[in-house]
Amino acid sequence: MSGLSKGSKGVGRVFAGTKFIAEVQYDFGWYRHYDEDGIPEPPSPNLDVTDPPRIQGERLTLHMNDGCKLDFSVSAQGYCTVEREPYL
């Protein structure tokens, strides 16, 4: 069993350092999973980006519409991995 504990979605801006890369649609959320006994496990982040920039091996920063920033990387297959918790 799992559930969304909090999240953010909308249009954000992606940067590599100070260089603007792209404007993207994103859906970010913290998901909490539960074991067989119903005991919660630590929440895990999930980031979905529509048509993510294909810059492999580089930490990118998503500036979300709520003012937070989120560091992530993109795999060769286009999957996003959160590198750090959101920050201001």
Side-chain angles (χ1 to χ4, degrees):
M1 182 166 85
S2 67
L4 176 66
S5 56
K6 62 180 175 176
S8 175
K9 64 192 293 186
V11 176
R13 297 170 51 91
V14 176
F15 290 83
T18 58
K19 181 181 177 188
F20 172 73
I21 302 298
E23 192 168 88
V24 297
Q25 282 284 132
Y26 71 89
D27 187 354
F28 171 73
W30 286 98
Y31 289 86
R32 183 172 295 275
H33 300 277
Y34 297 85
D35 69 13
E36 296 170 355
D37 298 323
I39 298 171
E41 297 175 354
S44 59
N46 184 59
L47 175 63
D48 289 318
V49 174
T50 303
D51 197 23
R54 299 293 178 130
I55 303 175
Q56 297 174 32
E58 188 169 340
R59 182 178 281 193
L60 303 173
T61 302
L62 172 64
H63 293 228
M64 297 188 283
N65 62 8
D66 62 0
C68 289
K69 297 175 186 173
L70 181 68
D71 291 342
F72 71 102
S73 60
V74 181
S75 72
Q77 296 77 24
Y79 297 111
C80 298
T81 301
V82 175
E83 301 288 335
R84 174 181 164 175
E85 290 186 26
Y87 58 95
L88 292 176

